[in-house]
């Protein structure tokens, strides 16, 4: 048995992290201390924007007029499917109450968060679909205040199609501000007076680091970094499709990892041969990003057995994982760590990224080992409650007193004592563990 690196990446997810951490920490501290004026200053110096921060209804309506009708229909197509999937997720978890013992009831409530901050990338590319993925999912979950932000691309502000998608999905407030300053503004409640309970959405390494540093003060969807793809392919896979899907993800940015896991050296050869030509055929911006991503972060790993492929794939825990193999059910049953799984040649990351229905805000940097992607549940607080009759208190209070005294927590024990004394004044209870431990 052997696992061989046919192509090994020169860099990994931690490359350049220390510098990113320092820059973000400084910016967050400055914006928190100086407020809206500092956020606007960064907006001007980093994005060249000095217009309105909060988008007005008139600006939204004007932007809608610029969006072609077919694009509107495509955005609505995506919105309808993403919303339906999010609703199915929301409906899959229920409130309940159950009787644990006579008179003792415990239950679960689902409480939507009050305010969500949704980040929508808009720098290198207009991530129209990201507006739907975050805003629509929050609204389906029942979030009252959804604040969305995106970087202004030029003197006109946010890309009109992004504005259209944000508004269609239900954003209550839209901020023309990107990067760390956008994340900070939503977290601190700048321009809205409503600090975010949770921050969600994809972004570059500075955005991801800002969310990480703010975690604890508010929730976040997940720890994330640049987008990733893993493809599991065997000897029957079409190398043209495999290579095209790798390049499609590499164009996101120069630090986007792209990985191929295979049992076929012939496929590895064929994919490697096709990559330079596919990258070269891209427009300049995409070509530059994909070229560096493939050079620095691309990997091809050849394994002797499919069991080894599963082992490697689960260790990498790819954000997106495609299966272009025989016996698809075998793989689906055994793989455990991925953000979203694309089963069969007919599916692809691009479909999920844009409009097929599943959410494209997914865990990266190995986080898929312990979490899934953005879902309606992320915007819900799943809280518990209990109630009980006085008769149920007889056994619960006595057990609590004994357990608490064994732990050395006399105050806890006495909360049980006083109830028993009040409810059952004529009865005697053994409230101490008498045996030596």
């Amino acid at each position: 048995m052997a696992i061989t690196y046919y192509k090994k990446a020169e860099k990994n997810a931690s490359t350049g992290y220390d510098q990113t951490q320092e820059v973000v920490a400084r910016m967050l501290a400055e914006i928190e201390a100086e407020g809206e004026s500092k956020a606007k200053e960064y907006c001007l110096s980093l994005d060249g924007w000095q217009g309105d921060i909060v988008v007005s209804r008139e600006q939204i309506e004007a932007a809608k007029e610029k969006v072609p009708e077919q694009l509107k229909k495509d955005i609505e197509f995506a919105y309808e499917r993403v919303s339906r999937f999010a609703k199915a997720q929301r409906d899959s978890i229920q409130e309940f109450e159950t009787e644990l013992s006579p008179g003792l009831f415990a239950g679960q409530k689902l409480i939507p968060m009050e305010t969500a901050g949704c980040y929508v990338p808009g720098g290198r590319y207009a991530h129209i679909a990201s507006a739907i993925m975050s805003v629509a999912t929050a609204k389906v979950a029942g979030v009252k205040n959804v604040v969305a932000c995106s970087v202004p691309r030029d003197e006109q502000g946010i890309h009109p199609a992004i504005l259209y998608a944000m508004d269609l999905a239900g954003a209550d407030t839209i901020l023309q501000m990107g990067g760390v300053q956008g994340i900070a503004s939503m977290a601190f409640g700048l321009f809205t007076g409503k600090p975010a309970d949770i921050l969600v959405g994809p972004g570059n390494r500075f955005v991801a680091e800002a969310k990480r540093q703010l975690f604890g003060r508010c929730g976040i969807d997940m720890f994330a970094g640049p987008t990733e793809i893993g493809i599991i392919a065997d000897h029957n896979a079409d190398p043209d499709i495999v290579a095209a899907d790798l390049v499609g993800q590499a164009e996101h940015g120069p630090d986007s990892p792209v990985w191929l896991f295979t049992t076929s050296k012939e496929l590895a050869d064929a994919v490697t041969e096709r990559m330079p030509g596919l990258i070269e055929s891209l427009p300049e911006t995409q070509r530059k990003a994909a070229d560096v991503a493939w050079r620095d972060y691309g990997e091809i790993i050849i394994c002797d057995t499919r069991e080894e492929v599963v082992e490697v794939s689960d260790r990498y825990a790819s954000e997106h994982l495609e299966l272009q193999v025989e016996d698809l059910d075998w793989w689906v049953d055994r793989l455990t760590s991925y953000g979203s799984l694309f089963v069969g040649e007919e599916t692809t990351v691009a479909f999920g990224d844009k409009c097929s229905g599943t959410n494209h805000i997914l865990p990266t940097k190995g986080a898929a080992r312990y979490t899934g992607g953005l879902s309606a549940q992320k915007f819900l607080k799943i809280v518990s409650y209990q109630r009980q009759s006085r008769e149920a208190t007889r056994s619960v209070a006595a057990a609590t007193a004994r357990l608490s005294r064994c732990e050395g927590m006399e105050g806890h024990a006495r909360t049980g004592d006083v109830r028993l004394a009040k409810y059952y004044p004529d009865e005697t209870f053994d409230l101490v563990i008498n045996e030596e431990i």
Side-chain angles (χ1 to χ4, degrees):
M1 297 176 68
I3 298 173
T4 304
Y5 282 90
Y6 180 97
K7 181 184 185 303
K8 186 79 169 70
E10 297 179 10
K11 298 181 179 180
N12 58 46
S14 299
T15 302
Y17 175 71
D18 290 343
Q19 180 186 11
T20 302
Q21 190 176 30
E22 293 171 6
V23 169
V24 170
R26 185 189 73 249
M27 291 179 67
L28 290 177
E30 290 176 353
I31 294 170
E32 183 172 20
E34 302 179 42
E36 293 179 1
S37 62
K38 193 65 180 181
K40 288 181 177 179
E41 183 181 317
Y42 273 121
C43 199
L44 177 60
S45 63
L46 296 177
D47 299 322
W49 178 253
Q50 53 186 346
D52 295 335
I53 298 300
V54 179
V55 181
S56 67
R57 171 48 55 184
E58 291 74 20
Q59 289 171 314
I60 293 173
E61 294 302 323
K64 287 182 180 180
E65 296 300 318
K66 301 176 182 178
V67 181
E69 286 303 315
Q70 184 59 58
L71 180 54
K72 287 180 181 177
K73 291 178 182 179
D74 291 337
I75 292 172
E76 290 160 8
F77 179 93
Y79 169 71
E80 192 270 338
R81 279 149 186 79
V82 171
S83 296
R84 283 180 60 188
F85 187 73
K87 184 179 185 301
Q89 290 179 318
R90 170 64 177 80
D91 293 345
S92 72
I93 185 168
Q94 302 290 329
E95 295 186 344
F96 68 86
E97 182 175 276
T98 185
E99 189 172 17
L100 301 175
S101 59
L104 172 59
F105 297 86
Q108 172 174 288
K109 285 181 64 62
L110 307 178
I111 303 176
M113 296 179 190
E114 185 76 7
T115 301
C118 299
Y119 188 86
V120 181
R124 181 182 288 112
Y125 306 117
H127 288 270
I128 301 165
S130 289
I132 299 168
M133 301 290 172
S134 56
V135 176
T137 305
K139 277 301 183 183
V140 167
V143 176
K144 183 177 179 181
N145 304 309
V146 175
V147 181
C149 80
S150 188
V151 63
R153 285 166 63 97
D154 52 32
E155 67 278 0
Q156 301 301 315
I158 295 173
H159 192 287
I162 291 180
L163 269 182
Y164 179 78
M166 287 175 165
D167 187 60
L168 176 69
D172 298 288
T173 305
I174 299 172
L175 305 180
Q176 299 190 112
M177 184 174 285
V180 175
Q181 61 272 24
I183 291 291
S185 294
M186 294 190 294
F188 303 145
L190 305 182
F191 309 102
T192 64
K194 297 172 181 176
D197 301 310
I198 187 170
L199 296 167
V200 305
N204 63 21
R205 57 194 175 102
F206 295 99
V207 168
E209 176 60 16
K211 288 165 60 182
R212 189 196 70 80
Q213 291 189 23
L214 289 164
F215 177 61
R217 298 183 56 165
C218 61
I220 63 173
D221 44 8
M222 65 204 73
F223 295 110
T227 189
E228 309 163 347
I229 185 174
I231 298 180
I232 296 176
D234 61 17
H235 63 286
N236 286 319
D238 185 332
D240 290 321
I241 289 179
V242 173
D245 288 2
L246 290 172
V247 171
Q249 207 65 15
E251 75 171 355
H252 280 75
D255 52 358
S256 292
V258 290
W259 306 312
L260 171 60
F261 314 124
T262 183
T263 52
S264 170
K265 183 178 182 302
E266 291 73 19
L267 179 71
D269 290 338
V271 170
T272 301
E273 180 182 347
R274 285 161 172 76
M275 291 295 288
L278 286 173
I279 292 172
E280 185 62 29
S281 68
L282 295 172
E284 182 181 5
T285 297
Q286 295 88 331
R287 181 174 69 250
K288 288 181 177 179
D291 184 56
V292 176
W294 176 241
R295 183 193 69 202
D296 292 348
Y297 291 88
E299 291 192 341
I300 297 178
I301 299 177
I302 301 176
C303 302
D304 283 347
T305 69
R306 59 183 185 176
E307 288 79 9
E308 288 174 333
V309 174
V310 169
E311 177 188 340
V312 170
S313 178
D314 282 346
R315 187 167 71 241
Y316 276 65
S318 309
E319 177 192 19
H320 308 92
L321 182 61
E322 293 186 0
L323 295 179
Q324 298 187 31
V325 289
E326 292 181 317
D327 197 6
L328 290 167
D329 289 342
W330 184 94
W331 296 91
V332 172
D333 290 343
R334 286 162 177 79
L335 290 161
T336 60
S337 296
Y338 49 82
S340 191
L341 189 64
F342 300 83
V343 183
E345 180 184 283
E346 296 80 9
T347 65
T348 176
V349 172
F351 297 166
D353 269 359
K354 305 308 176 204
C355 62
S356 61
T358 55
N359 207 292
H360 80 196
I361 300 171
L362 301 166
T364 65
K365 299 173 70 173
R369 292 179 294 106
Y370 57 83
T371 188
L374 186 63
S375 66
Q377 286 94 320
K378 293 277 187 177
F379 297 100
L380 297 171
K381 294 177 287 186
I382 303 174
V383 298
S384 61
Y385 68 88
Q386 63 178 266
R387 59 185 178 87
Q388 63 191 54
S389 65
R390 290 199 170 184
E391 184 57 33
T393 301
R394 180 196 300 269
S395 58
V396 173
T400 296
R402 289 189 291 270
L403 286 167
S404 297
R405 289 193 168 94
C406 187
E407 292 175 348
M409 301 184 72
E410 185 62 28
H412 264 59
R414 288 178 180 173
T415 63
D417 295 350
V418 297
R419 285 169 172 78
L420 292 174
K422 177 180 180 179
Y423 301 159
Y424 305 100
D426 299 327
E427 296 186 37
T428 300
F429 295 91
D430 185 359
L431 302 178
V432 178
I433 299 292
N434 296 312
E435 292 85 1
E436 291 288 336
I437 298 178

